[in-house]
Amino acid sequence: MTRNLLYAQSGGVTAVINASAAGVIATARQASGEIGQVLAARNGILGVLRETLVDTAGLSVSDLARLRATPGGAFGSCRFDLDPAEQNPAQYDRLFAVLAAHDVGYFLYNGGNGSMETCRQIQAAADARSYPLRVVGVPKTVDNDIVLTDCCPGFGSAAKYLATSIREVGLDLDAMTTGSGRAFVLEVMGRNAGWLAAACALAAEDDDAAPHLILLPEVLFDEAAFLEKVTAVVERLGSCAIVVAEGIRGQDGQILSMQDRNQKGYIQLGGAGEVIAERIHACLGYKVHFALADYLQRSARHIASKTDTAQAFGVGKAAVRRALGGGSGVVGIERLSDTPYLWRTTLQTFDDVANLERQLPPEFITPDGFGVTDAFRRWCRPLIAGEDWPPFRDGLPDYLRLQLPLVPARLPPYVP
Amino acid sequence: MTRNLLYAQSGGVTAVINASAAGVIATARQASGEIGQVLAARNGILGVLRETLVDTAGLSVSDLARLRATPGGAFGSCRFDLDPAEQNPAQYDRLFAVLAAHDVGYFLYNGGNGSMETCRQIQAAADARSYPLRVVGVPKTVDNDIVLTDCCPGFGSAAKYLATSIREVGLDLDAMTTGSGRAFVLEVMGRNAGWLAAACALAAEDDDAAPHLILLPEVLFDEAAFLEKVTAVVERLGSCAIVVAEGIRGQDGQILSMQDRNQKGYIQLGGAGEVIAERIHACLGYKVHFALADYLQRSARHIASKTDTAQAFGVGKAAVRRALGGGSGVVGIERLSDTPYLWRTTLQTFDDVANLERQLPPEFITPDGFGVTDAFRRWCRPLIAGEDWPPFRDGLPDYLRLQLPLVPARLPPYVP
C-alpha cells in the first residue's frame, strides 16, 4: 500500500536548497511501490495549513535537472513556527486534517534549526494522535549552524562565492595602493556564528593576500586592537581587506550595528560592516570602501560548490530512504576523511538538533581573534571544492521558474 | 631598428583590463622586428614619472594565459592627471627623460576618459619636442561611458555579474513572499551614466521578474512616482527588486546620497541604495534588504563575459598594430551587426574622445524613467554573451599575482 510524501521548504533559502528538493523528488519517484504522489507545500508549513499543495509529477526529468541548478526556494519558503501542541490544538487538528486528506505518510521538511523544532513538534503530535507519519528533517542553511553534522548544505556555495569575491577584490585593492592608506570592508551573513566570515580566509594564499582581518561574532570586538591591526597591515601593504560578520558584538555584548540600525528603523540586521568602515575612516583617515553582499551570497548558484550541490542532493535522497526505512529525525553529514573528502549521511534525533546552534569552536579561531587556524582551513576547504555551473542562455544562468498548479483543495479554507 | 613599447594601466580596474595587457604583450612579442622590449609601468603614469618599470619578458606563455584570466590591474593603476604642459614643463621633462632613457617609441595607456586626456597631452608634448613617439589609448571602464565606441571593455563582465546577481536574488525574493510587502535594493556603480544599472534589466525574462524598477542617473529621482510604482509591484507580486545607480540625483539635481554621506565623512560615493531602502521602509513600511556590490562588481572575473574578454584582448592587440602602423589615438569598437554580434576595432582621435562622457541616450530609457527599452536590450545582450571561466584550484579561481622585478633605474629618483 502506497502513501504520499509531502516536501516543504523553510527559512532563508540558499543556492542549493532546490538540489535537495530534486534529490527528494527523484528518489521518491524511484520508490513507486511505497510512495504514491510526491507533493510539495507552497511556503513551507504555512502551505500545509493552508492546503496549498502542488504535485511534483508535473516536473519533467529535464525540469528536475534545472531545478537542481536553480537557487532560491522553488516551492516557496516561510518563517513560521507552530505553536506548542498543548497551547493550540486547533492548529494541529488542521495540520493533520490536511495530511490525512492527502494521505500523507511521509513529511520531509527542508530547513534550519527552527525548522527541526517544527519537525519535532509534528512527529510528536502524530505519535500522540496515532497518525502514521514519518517526519524527516532535511538540513539547509548558509549559516552552517546546525549541530551534529559536518556541515550544512547551502554553506559551501555561499562560502565559495564569498571567498572568490574577496580574492577578486584583493587583486583590485592591490592595483590601487598608491597614495594614502586604503581599506575595504565586506559584510557577510552570520548573526551568532561566523562560519561564512571565516570561510573567506580560504581566499588568502599567503599573509599578504586578502582578507587580512576577519571579525567574528564569536569574538567580542576590541576596537583598539582592531585599529592597531589595520594600521599595521596598511603600513606593510598599502591597503587592508576586512571581512565582518553581521552579528559582531562590542565589549558590552551588544550587537555592534544595533544602535545605528534602530535609529534608522531598519529590520535587516546588517550594518556592522558600515560601522566598521566608518570607524576606520574616522580614526585612521583611510579611504574606505565597503560592500554588503546580503542576499547575493545565499543565492549565488552561478558559483556553487560541487561538494555542496552533491551534499544537498544527497541529504534529500537520504531523507526519503530514511523515511521509507521507518526512520524519523534529522539527516546529518558525517565526514569520513579530509583528503579525499569522503562523507556519508546520518540520522540524528530531533531532540539532539532542534533549536541548538553551532558556533565556531575555539580551535578554529586564532589567538588574537582576527583570523582562523589551519584546522579550520582543513575542515572548510573540501566544502567549496569543485564547480557545478548552471546552464547558461543568452549570457545568463537559465534558471527554472516553477509554475505548478495547486492540487484541488479537499478541505474548507484555513482560518487561523 | 627596434624601439621599446611601454604599457600602463590607469583608473579604476576591471575584471578584464589584464586581458588587454595580455593582448598588448602577446601582439608586441610577435612584432620583434619592430618592437624590442615590452615594458610596463607600475601604477600608470606615476610609474613612468618614477621610473618604476618592469620587463614583461619575465612572463611565460602560461603566465600570459593566466594574466588574461585575472581581474584587477596586475601592473598597478593610478588616479593621476598630468598638469597642462605649459604650466609644468618640468613634469614633461621628466616624463620624456624616462621615455628616452628606455628608448620608448610606443606608449599604450589603458584607461577611461581621463586617461585619454593624458594620452592626448603626451602625444602633443612629444610632437612639440619632436620626440618620436606613438601614443595609443586602450579603452577600459566598467562605466561604459567612453564616446565613439560601441562599448567599453570591462562593462560587459560587470554587467553579466550584476544581471546574474539580480536574477538570483529575484528567485530568493520569490520564495519568501508571504506576509507583508518586501523590497530589495541593489546599489551599483554609475556616477553620471546608468549603463550598469540598465544592464540589470537583462535579468528579467518578463514583467514579473527582477529587477522591477531601475533608477538611473540620467533621470531625476521623483520620489512620489517611485513609491507609487513600488507599491503597485508589491501589491501584484508581494515583493519588489530595485536597482539603483550610485549617482542618482534628486529633483534639485543634487546627488541623492551626498548629504547623508557628507555627514558621515565618507569618501566613497555610494549610499544612494541605502537612502532608497530607508525611504521605502519609512514611507511604505515594507521589510527592506539592500546590497552594495561596490568593488565586487568590477572585479568579478569568475563570471566574465566571453564577448568582453575577447574585446579586451582585441583592443590591446589593435593598439599595438595601430601604433606600429604609425597611428595615434584611442582604440574604439564598432558594431557591424547585432545577431550574430560582429565588431571590429577603430581608431578615434584624442580630441574626439578625451574627457567626454557618454550617458544612456533617451531612446534606451522607458518614458516613465524607471526602466529600459527593447532597443537597449538589443544593444546590451551580446555584450554579456558567453562564459569565459578562469581556471580553478582548490575551489577558487587560480589568479596570477604578478611579481616582476623592477628594471634598474637609469635616472636619478623623481622629485615632483
Side-chain angles (χ1 to χ4, degrees):
Chain A
M1 193 195 72
T2 66
R3 302 201 61 213
N4 297 329
L5 182 146
L6 177 60
Y7 166 82
Q9 300 178 325
S10 174
V13 296
T14 77
V16 302
I17 183 173
N18 290 329
S20 291
V24 166
I25 295 167
T27 310
R29 284 184 182 183
Q30 289 167 359
S32 56
E34 294 149 290
I35 296 173
Q37 288 181 296
V38 183
L39 304 170
R42 283 213 188 141
N43 296 112
I45 195 68
L46 277 176
V48 185
L49 291 168
R50 293 172 181 161
E51 204 191 358
T52 49
L53 312 180
V54 298
D55 187 344
T56 66
L59 292 172
S60 68
V61 170
S62 89
D63 286 342
L64 263 191
R66 281 178 76 200
L67 179 65
R68 191 186 185 285
T70 295
F75 299 99
S77 186
C78 72
R79 293 193 184 280
F80 183 83
D81 296 327
L82 291 177
D83 294 325
E86 61 281 12
Q87 281 178 25
N88 191 354
Q91 192 178 49
Y92 289 79
D93 290 344
R94 170 70 184 188
L95 192 72
F96 283 93
V98 173
L99 296 179
H102 295 274
D103 193 28
V104 173
Y106 310 98
F107 178 61
L108 271 52
Y109 207 31
N110 205 166
N113 299 313
S115 312
M116 297 309 134
E117 170 63 11
T118 303
C119 288
R120 195 193 61 72
Q121 290 168 305
I122 296 173
Q123 185 66 68
D127 295 348
R129 289 163 189 249
S130 301
Y131 178 98
L133 182 73
R134 304 319 293 163
V135 180
V136 178
V138 187
K140 165 248 54 161
T141 166
V142 295
D143 292 327
N144 198 51
D145 58 357
I146 300 178
V147 300
L148 297 179
T149 184
D150 184 50
C151 61
C152 303
F155 167 73
S157 295
K160 184 184 185 91
Y161 167 80
L162 290 172
T164 296
S165 297
I166 197 73
R167 174 174 284 185
E168 291 175 334
V169 165
L171 289 164
D172 190 311
L173 282 176
D174 281 350
M176 304 295 287
T177 51
T178 52
S180 59
R182 297 165 71 245
F184 175 84
V185 177
L186 173 64
E187 179 183 316
V188 307
M189 287 180 168
R191 295 180 180 220
N192 301 313
W195 297 97
L196 282 177
C200 291
L202 295 179
E205 290 160 305
D206 55 52
D207 288 347
D208 289 354
H212 306 99
L213 298 169
I214 296 174
L215 301 181
L216 303 164
E218 287 84 353
V219 182
L220 295 184
F221 179 63
D222 177 342
E223 182 169 307
F226 171 71
L227 292 173
E228 201 175 296
K229 289 269 179 188
V230 174
T231 305
V233 173
V234 169
E235 283 177 356
R236 187 161 58 87
L237 303 172
S239 65
C240 181
I242 300 134
V243 173
V244 180
E246 61 183 333
I248 57 166
R249 288 167 164 75
Q251 294 291 317
D252 57 1
Q254 285 290 303
I255 287 187
L256 211 68
S257 58
M258 211 46 115
Q259 199 192 357
D260 188 46
R261 214 31 64 164
N262 279 347
Q263 286 171 357
K264 287 178 186 163
Y266 244 77
I267 293 177
Q268 180 178 3
L269 183 62
E274 193 168 355
V275 171
I276 295 298
E278 286 170 5
R279 294 309 297 157
I280 294 171
H281 179 72
C283 299
L284 304 178
Y286 300 150
K287 182 174 175 185
V288 186
H289 266 248
F290 90 100
L292 181 54
D294 195 58
Y295 287 163
L296 274 63
Q297 71 201 283
R298 73 180 198 189
S299 53
R301 179 61 183 81
H302 72 273
I303 189 166
S305 145
K306 195 164 190 169
T307 300
D308 193 30
T309 54
Q311 290 185 329
F313 190 90
V315 295
K317 179 173 159 179
V320 174
R321 297 212 169 146
R322 296 283 183 170
L324 287 176
S328 176
V330 182
V331 175
I333 293 167
E334 182 187 359
R335 180 180 300 225
L336 303 174
S337 78
D338 287 336
T339 317
Y341 180 55
L342 298 175
W343 56 277
R344 66 180 171 200
T345 55
T346 63
L347 195 69
Q348 308 295 331
T349 68
F350 293 126
D351 284 341
D352 284 346
V353 174
N355 285 331
L356 296 173
E357 195 172 53
R358 180 170 70 151
Q359 291 191 303
L360 282 168
E363 64 267 27
F364 280 178
I365 303 173
T366 52
D368 70 3
F370 294 113
V372 297
T373 60
D374 286 341
F376 172 83
R377 290 188 182 83
R378 259 196 313 280
W379 169 82
C380 198
R381 198 168 283 123
L383 307 182
I384 68 164
E387 291 67 58
D388 188 0
W389 311 115
F392 274 69
R393 189 164 52 84
D394 289 340
L396 293 174
D398 186 21
Y399 294 134
L400 181 68
R401 290 175 70 205
L402 202 60
Q403 305 283 356
L404 289 174
L406 287 183
V407 170
R410 296 174 184 173
L411 298 175
Y414 176 51
V415 184
Chain B
M1 190 195 73
T2 66
R3 300 203 59 213
N4 298 330
L5 181 147
L6 177 59
Y7 166 82
Q9 300 176 325
S10 173
V13 296
T14 76
V16 302
I17 184 172
N18 290 329
S20 291
V24 166
I25 296 165
T27 310
R29 285 184 183 182
Q30 290 166 359
S32 56
E34 296 150 287
I35 297 174
Q37 288 181 296
V38 183
L39 303 170
R42 284 213 188 142
N43 296 111
I45 196 68
L46 277 176
V48 185
L49 291 168
R50 294 171 180 161
E51 202 191 0
T52 49
L53 311 180
V54 298
D55 187 343
T56 66
L59 292 172
S60 68
V61 170
S62 90
D63 286 341
L64 264 192
R66 280 178 77 200
L67 179 65
R68 190 185 186 285
T70 294
F75 299 99
S77 186
C78 72
R79 294 193 183 279
F80 182 83
D81 297 327
L82 291 176
D83 294 326
E86 62 279 12
Q87 281 178 26
N88 191 354
Q91 192 179 47
Y92 289 78
D93 291 344
R94 169 70 183 188
L95 192 70
F96 283 94
V98 174
L99 295 179
H102 295 274
D103 192 27
V104 173
Y106 311 98
F107 178 61
L108 271 52
Y109 207 31
N110 205 166
N113 299 313
S115 312
M116 297 310 135
E117 171 63 12
T118 302
C119 287
R120 196 194 61 74
Q121 291 168 307
I122 295 173
Q123 184 66 67
D127 296 346
R129 289 162 188 251
S130 300
Y131 179 98
L133 182 71
R134 305 318 293 162
V135 180
V136 179
V138 187
K140 165 249 53 156
T141 166
V142 295
D143 292 328
N144 198 52
D145 57 357
I146 300 178
V147 299
L148 296 178
T149 184
D150 184 49
C151 61
C152 304
F155 167 72
S157 294
K160 185 185 185 91
Y161 167 80
L162 290 172
T164 296
S165 297
I166 197 74
R167 174 174 284 185
E168 292 175 333
V169 165
L171 289 163
D172 191 309
L173 282 177
D174 281 350
M176 304 295 287
T177 51
T178 52
S180 59
R182 298 166 70 245
F184 174 84
V185 177
L186 173 64
E187 180 183 316
V188 307
M189 288 180 166
R191 295 180 182 220
N192 301 315
W195 297 97
L196 282 177
C200 291
L202 295 180
E205 291 161 306
D206 55 51
D207 287 347
D208 288 354
H212 306 99
L213 298 169
I214 297 174
L215 300 181
L216 302 164
E218 287 84 354
V219 181
L220 295 185
F221 179 62
D222 178 341
E223 183 171 303
F226 170 70
L227 292 173
E228 200 175 299
K229 289 269 180 189
V230 174
T231 305
V233 173
V234 169
E235 284 178 357
R236 189 161 57 87
L237 304 171
S239 66
C240 182
I242 301 135
V243 173
V244 180
E246 63 183 332
I248 58 166
R249 288 167 163 77
Q251 294 291 318
D252 58 359
Q254 286 289 304
I255 286 186
L256 209 68
S257 58
M258 212 48 119
Q259 199 191 357
D260 187 46
R261 212 34 62 166
N262 279 346
Q263 286 171 357
K264 289 178 184 162
Y266 244 77
I267 294 176
Q268 181 177 1
L269 181 60
E274 194 168 354
V275 172
I276 295 297
E278 287 170 3
R279 295 307 297 155
I280 294 171
H281 180 71
C283 299
L284 303 178
Y286 300 151
K287 182 174 176 185
V288 187
H289 267 248
F290 90 99
L292 182 54
D294 195 57
Y295 287 164
L296 274 63
Q297 70 201 282
R298 73 180 199 191
S299 54
R301 179 61 183 81
H302 72 273
I303 189 165
S305 145
K306 195 165 190 170
T307 300
D308 193 31
T309 54
Q311 289 185 330
F313 190 91
V315 295
K317 178 174 160 178
V320 174
R321 295 210 171 149
R322 296 282 184 170
L324 287 176
S328 176
V330 183
V331 175
I333 293 168
E334 181 188 0
R335 179 181 301 223
L336 303 175
S337 79
D338 287 334
T339 317
Y341 181 55
L342 298 175
W343 55 276
R344 68 180 172 201
T345 55
T346 65
L347 195 69
Q348 309 295 331
T349 68
F350 294 125
D351 285 339
D352 285 344
V353 173
N355 285 331
L356 296 174
E357 193 171 53
R358 180 169 70 149
Q359 290 190 303
L360 281 169
E363 64 267 27
F364 279 177
I365 303 173
T366 51
D368 71 2
F370 295 113
V372 297
T373 61
D374 285 342
F376 172 82
R377 289 188 182 85
R378 259 196 313 281
W379 170 81
C380 197
R381 198 168 284 122
L383 307 181
I384 68 163
E387 291 67 60
D388 189 0
W389 311 116
F392 274 70
R393 190 163 52 86
D394 289 340
L396 293 173
D398 186 21
Y399 295 134
L400 180 69
R401 289 175 70 203
L402 202 61
Q403 304 282 359
L404 289 174
L406 287 182
V407 171
R410 295 172 184 176
L411 297 174
Y414 176 51
V415 183

